[in-house]
Amino acid sequence: MNLPQVTLGRSDLRVTPICLGTMTFGEQVDAATAHTILDRALERGIDFLDTAEMYAVPARKETFGATETILGDWFAKHPGLRQKITLATKVAGPSRGMPWVREGGGMTAADIVASCDASLKRLQTDVIDLYQIHWPERHVPAFGSMYYDPAKESSATSIHAQLEALGGLVKAGKVREIGLSNETPYGVHEFVRLAEQHGLPRVATVQNVYCLVSRALENGLDETMHRLDVSLLAYSPLAFGLLTGKYDQSGTDGPDAPKGARIASYESVRKQRWGRADALKAARRYNQLARDHGLTPAQMALAFCYTKWQVASTIIGVTSVAQLDEDLDAYGTTLSPEVLAEIDKIRWEIRDPAI
């Protein structure tokens, strides 16, 4: 599979426009199967992997760091392979109901450094190509919440201090480039402004949710990223499976979880954006549109992300080689002007139910 290369922001990182996300490794996917999936991804031309210190998910104390360990073992099995891969991982933001993350505390500059050192050890590597803040240290809407509430603000570590910690990691050779995740336009602007003002590393990427049923990024964040030369890494392009059609026969109150489906293991997710009745209603509309035009629901949903100007690289998450191949085979699919117009018509009616 001949995939092109894209440049992330103003960095020197050049990657494939599809990134393999690994959060299922260590929970839904055992180490042996994960290594088989990684082998197949490499065989098919993928050179970009994304993980995080808090993975596997659903997050549990027992599996904290498990995914990075699986990746580290895979690198150890293949000497010389690490240099061919662009490796991204993340430092967890302040604990969100996970007391095992820094004993339920916030995210200090020292925490960033300590988390990076622990990730390097688990990944069995000397350098992380792209080190991202998983969610803001500030109290901002994320993971299904809609509104910013100043009364809930609890920030204790300034963006400047976070950048100084990340800059120290870059200077030490432990990190090549930095990025953000689950960020807002304000956050992106501040990270870039302070970096340029103080000669600190400039963020190359933002990893945010982006899919047919969750396009809030197009309400202003896309302009911010375009004008500041920051690249989008789009996650959940299939809306946690809603856009595969597997839940189309589910109940009206939200997706019933078929045995083995990813959402079956995520009770918290079912209560958030992907479990909303309106999200399922919207997904059914998009899925039927795909079928009406001779496409599978997954094919149309992935093609939407693969071809949007806002997206530099789309992060796909799989639990089998078959799923991986299906997602990769969708690359190159072109959506007709008619289909794109129908997609926008549905969005105008339903907006972003899985914000």
Side-chain angles (χ1 to χ4, degrees):
M1 185 174 184
N2 294 318
L3 290 169
Q5 293 279 300
V6 296
T7 300
L8 299 182
R10 295 183 184 176
S11 76
D12 293 329
L13 298 180
R14 288 184 57 78
V15 301
T16 46
I18 302 175
C19 172
L20 179 61
T22 61
M23 72 177 190
T24 61
F25 296 177
E27 183 67 52
Q28 289 178 273
V29 179
D30 62 30
T33 304
H35 287 185
T36 299
I37 291 171
L38 289 163
D39 289 341
R40 179 60 171 166
L42 186 68
E43 177 186 331
R44 295 208 55 180
I46 300 300
D47 66 5
F48 190 16
L49 304 178
D50 178 73
T51 188
E53 67 169 338
M54 69 159 280
Y55 294 167
V57 289
R60 296 188 296 120
K61 180 179 181 180
E62 294 77 11
T63 57
F64 181 86
T67 306
E68 289 185 330
T69 298
I70 288 172
L71 288 176
D73 290 342
W74 183 64
F75 288 131
K77 283 172 54 178
H78 302 281
L81 177 59
R82 172 65 188 89
Q83 288 69 38
K84 301 177 182 179
I85 298 292
T86 297
L87 177 62
T89 192
K90 314 178 198 76
V91 52
S95 176
R96 287 176 172 261
M98 296 180 289
W100 57 88
V101 178
R102 295 189 287 273
E103 298 182 347
M107 186 187 71
T108 67
D111 290 331
I112 293 173
V113 175
S115 288
C116 180
D117 287 339
S119 288
L120 287 167
K121 184 176 181 180
R122 286 189 293 264
L123 290 164
Q124 300 188 49
T125 188
D126 295 327
V127 62
I128 294 164
D129 298 307
L130 179 64
Y131 198 47
Q132 307 152 98
I133 295 176
H134 205 153
W135 56 89
E137 188 270 348
R138 314 178 317 281
H139 195 283
V140 300
F143 307 112
S145 60
M146 292 181 64
Y147 302 112
Y148 172 67
D149 183 355
K152 294 182 179 179
E153 187 55 77
S154 57
S155 177
T157 306
S158 69
I159 290 176
H160 187 191
Q162 294 170 53
L163 275 171
E164 286 186 318
L166 292 166
L169 293 172
V170 172
K171 188 175 182 180
K174 297 178 181 180
V175 168
R176 291 179 61 195
E177 302 288 346
I178 66 169
L180 306 171
S181 186
N182 300 296
E183 245 319 343
T184 68
Y186 166 79
V188 179
H189 269 284
E190 274 299 278
F191 269 93
V192 171
R193 181 183 72 83
L194 290 169
E196 293 180 343
Q197 180 180 342
H198 297 283
L200 294 166
R202 196 180 195 279
V203 294
T205 59
V206 174
Q207 182 179 148
N208 273 28
V209 62
Y210 185 63
C211 64
L212 289 171
V213 296
S214 188
R215 294 172 60 180
L217 177 131
E218 292 175 306
N219 298 337
L221 181 55
D222 58 348
E223 181 188 7
T224 291
M225 296 176 66
H226 171 68
R227 294 190 183 278
L228 296 179
D229 291 334
V230 177
S231 293
L232 173 65
L233 308 180
Y235 75 78
S236 292
L238 294 177
F240 235 76
L242 295 186
L243 293 169
T244 66
K246 71 172 70 174
Y247 303 114
D248 282 4
Q249 304 306 314
S250 297
T252 58
D253 294 330
D256 298 326
K259 184 177 180 181
R262 187 186 305 179
I263 205 168
S265 303
Y266 293 76
E267 186 60 33
S268 62
V269 169
R270 286 168 60 81
K271 295 176 181 177
Q272 295 176 3
R273 53 192 172 204
W274 309 123
R276 294 173 181 159
D278 284 347
L280 177 60
K281 179 182 176 181
R284 286 171 172 158
R285 291 275 301 277
Y286 289 117
N287 295 342
Q288 189 57 51
L289 174 63
R291 297 184 188 102
D292 290 345
H293 288 269
L295 302 166
T296 68
Q299 190 178 22
M300 187 180 84
L302 288 167
F304 175 80
C305 284
Y306 290 163
T307 57
K308 290 288 281 187
W309 69 261
Q310 289 92 339
V311 181
S313 190
T314 300
I315 300 173
I316 58 172
V318 303
T319 57
S320 69
V321 169
Q323 285 184 357
L324 173 68
D325 283 336
E326 180 182 6
D327 289 359
L328 296 182
D329 289 344
Y331 190 80
T333 299
T334 300
L335 301 182
S336 69
E338 179 185 4
V339 169
L340 291 172
E342 288 297 318
I343 285 173
D344 280 344
K345 181 179 179 181
I346 294 172
R347 191 199 181 204
W348 184 257
E349 295 176 17
I350 302 179
R351 298 304 167 101
D352 300 305
I355 189 171

